[in-house]
Amino acid sequence: MKVLVLNSGSSSIKYQLFAMPEATVLARGSVERIGEPRGEVKQRAGERETRLEEPIPDHESGLRRAMQLLTSGEGAPLSAPDEIEAVGHRVVHGGERFTETVLIDDEVLAAIEEHVALAPLHNPPNLIGIRVAREVLPRARQVAVFDTAFHQGMPPRAYLYGLPHALYEEDGIRRYGFHGTSHRYVATRAAELLGRPLEELKLITCHLGNGSSMAAIEGGRSVDTSMGLTPLEGLVMGTRCGDLDPAIVFHLARTKDLPIDALDRLLNKESGLRGLSGASNDVRELERLRAGGDPGARRALEVFTYRIRKYLGAYLAVLGGADAVVFTAGIGENSPSVRSEVLTGLAALGLELDEARNREAVGREADIAREGAPVRILVVPTDEEKLIARDSFALASAA
């Protein structure tokens, strides 16, 4: 079965084509700058790379262009778009309605629409991708995989805020968590690497990228996570502030006369590593600057790694210990120095890093704990698209 995985953004479409059940990637590509005078289409299928610059007026035009690339030229992975039997869509917010992957029908589409208020920047473009795919690929089964679904098993003590309970009951104000497909994928893969059933394990997964989150996972179920109602809560990120005293917002509004939109931009786009360093939200650049003595880069990285260590200790307490800590995503997979700084001084908690193994583990699976240490420390590259493809294949096959 051929399964297409789509991640639709406000001005982009990213896609991968899989042959299932082997989960072999036949092609991957992106349509960027949709609606701008000069759009860009990129695709790699086998050894063949294509890059085009042309106007892409809307998402439908973008997906149709991608279909043309997938079906044309020597060695094309498809002879016709109808070969695609399932389309898996990444949908950011499913609220409490969706606790697992679902086949998309009109009722599901309406429910995703109802959750736009909880994810105003993400759900609308996700909906556009679904509607366009239904038009362009009408014979394929459409599947929704939700970022929030994996965390829906959290107990109330973990997801409720200390607010009047009516705000939860009437408005759905609670912690939902995000990056669920990544946390679920690396937890499953960690169990395979450890040679133990996922249902027996206590894991702490650290998805560290420009957007970062952590999850405490017990028996394959997320029991706590760092992101909240929105992706702003939790760890310090590339441009997001993470946890802060909420009264800071009132203070800034009063003393600087900042409107809501300016405060939103400040906390989501101008804070985090970029705001702390005054230079960049890219950890690679900050590590380079720190090596040259830049105080802003040093400050940003110290705050970033401290916050991760703080959550790590909290989740060890939540779980009553852990079998493994898993690092993933761009920073987690590729920065030995971040991993080392996070884990410094935690030997008493069973976390003993082998620095030689850590230095060698860049962008690949590895166990970087000291031999014989009670808690394993794993690096597991995430593959959210593969998880979406597997979910989509399973549902489409059963339907």
Side-chain angles (χ1 to χ4, degrees):
M1 179 186 292
K2 305 289 176 55
V3 174
L4 182 68
V5 173
L6 286 184
N7 186 351
S8 179
S10 58
S11 62
S12 67
I13 300 171
K14 296 179 181 178
Y15 62 91
Q16 287 193 34
L17 180 66
F18 289 84
M20 303 300 291
E22 299 86 359
T24 302
V25 178
L26 302 177
R28 68 183 81 224
S30 64
V31 183
E32 307 283 349
R33 302 200 295 270
I34 295 173
E36 298 182 21
R38 293 182 66 185
E40 183 178 49
V41 184
K42 295 183 289 186
Q43 181 177 285
R44 182 180 181 90
E47 297 301 315
R48 182 184 176 193
E49 290 190 39
T50 305
R51 181 171 179 172
L52 305 170
E53 286 196 356
E54 59 189 33
I56 306 291
D58 52 37
H59 284 70
E60 182 175 349
S61 301
L63 186 55
R64 290 192 185 278
R65 193 70 174 101
M67 289 301 103
Q68 290 173 356
L69 292 180
L70 289 169
T71 56
S72 61
E74 185 178 351
L78 297 172
S79 58
D82 285 350
E83 287 185 49
I84 296 172
E85 296 184 55
V87 182
H89 297 269
R90 181 194 178 204
V91 181
V92 167
H93 217 305
E96 292 185 323
R97 170 71 180 272
F98 298 106
T99 61
E100 58 188 5
T101 300
V102 296
L103 286 170
I104 297 170
D105 55 20
D106 289 343
E107 183 181 345
V108 168
L109 203 61
I112 296 171
E113 186 91 57
E114 290 171 6
H115 290 95
V116 164
L118 293 173
L121 299 179
H122 296 93
N123 273 28
N126 297 161
L127 283 163
I128 291 171
I130 293 170
R131 292 188 174 112
V132 166
R134 293 176 96 188
E135 289 287 330
V136 176
L137 300 166
R139 297 186 181 181
R141 295 188 180 276
Q142 308 289 329
V143 177
V145 182
F146 298 89
D147 275 14
T148 51
F150 181 58
H151 303 298
Q152 287 307 295
M154 290 190 295
R157 64 177 178 269
Y159 69 69
L160 287 176
Y161 291 114
L163 294 168
H165 197 57
L167 288 173
Y168 164 66
E169 294 177 318
E170 298 169 10
D171 301 289
I173 304 299
R174 52 158 284 180
R175 173 175 287 108
Y176 289 98
F178 298 89
H179 296 143
T181 51
S182 177
H183 289 293
R184 179 157 64 104
Y185 176 84
V186 299
T188 302
R189 183 63 187 143
E192 294 170 352
L193 292 172
L194 294 171
R196 296 176 59 187
L198 181 60
E199 294 73 24
E200 293 181 0
L201 293 174
K202 296 179 179 181
L203 303 172
I204 299 172
T205 51
C206 308
H207 177 107
L208 307 179
N210 193 52
S212 296
S213 68
M214 292 172 61
I217 300 171
E218 185 169 14
R221 185 171 66 98
S222 174
V223 296
D224 205 344
T225 191
S226 58
M227 284 181 169
L229 175 75
T230 76
L232 185 61
E233 187 179 0
L235 304 177
V236 168
M237 305 175 220
T239 62
R240 297 178 188 138
C241 62
D243 293 341
L244 83 167
D245 180 348
I248 292 172
V249 176
F250 313 141
H251 175 75
L252 291 174
R254 293 187 187 110
T255 60
K256 292 189 174 293
D257 196 27
L258 292 177
I260 290 294
D261 288 348
L263 288 165
D264 191 327
R265 185 171 60 254
L266 172 69
L267 300 183
N268 278 288
K269 302 293 185 182
E270 300 170 357
S271 298
L273 292 172
R274 177 179 292 170
L276 284 165
S277 68
S280 176
N281 58 302
D282 189 320
V283 162
R284 293 165 297 186
E285 175 66 8
L286 293 177
E287 289 175 338
R288 186 189 68 80
L289 290 171
R290 181 176 62 177
D294 185 273
R298 183 179 67 252
R299 175 175 59 241
L301 290 168
E302 284 179 354
V303 174
F304 178 66
T305 55
Y306 174 79
R307 185 71 60 85
I308 300 166
R309 189 184 313 124
K310 186 175 176 180
Y311 265 92
L312 190 55
Y315 286 168
L316 286 168
V318 166
L319 294 171
D323 296 292
V325 172
V326 186
F327 288 92
T328 193
I331 300 168
E333 296 166 23
N334 295 294
S335 178
S337 67
V338 164
R339 296 191 298 253
S340 179
E341 289 164 42
V342 167
L343 297 168
T344 296
L346 299 184
L349 300 178
L351 290 158
E352 302 177 46
L353 188 66
D354 185 311
E355 288 291 358
R357 289 179 176 178
N358 182 44
R359 286 191 299 273
E360 295 169 1
V362 177
R364 64 178 182 84
E365 291 183 344
D367 184 339
I368 57 175
R370 183 185 62 79
E371 197 68 38
V375 180
R376 306 320 298 165
I377 305 168
L378 304 178
V379 178
V380 179
T382 192
D383 197 336
E384 297 171 78
E385 290 79 11
K386 183 182 287 187
L387 185 144
I388 292 171
R390 286 173 175 167
D391 276 9
S392 302
F393 170 71
L395 276 187
S397 300

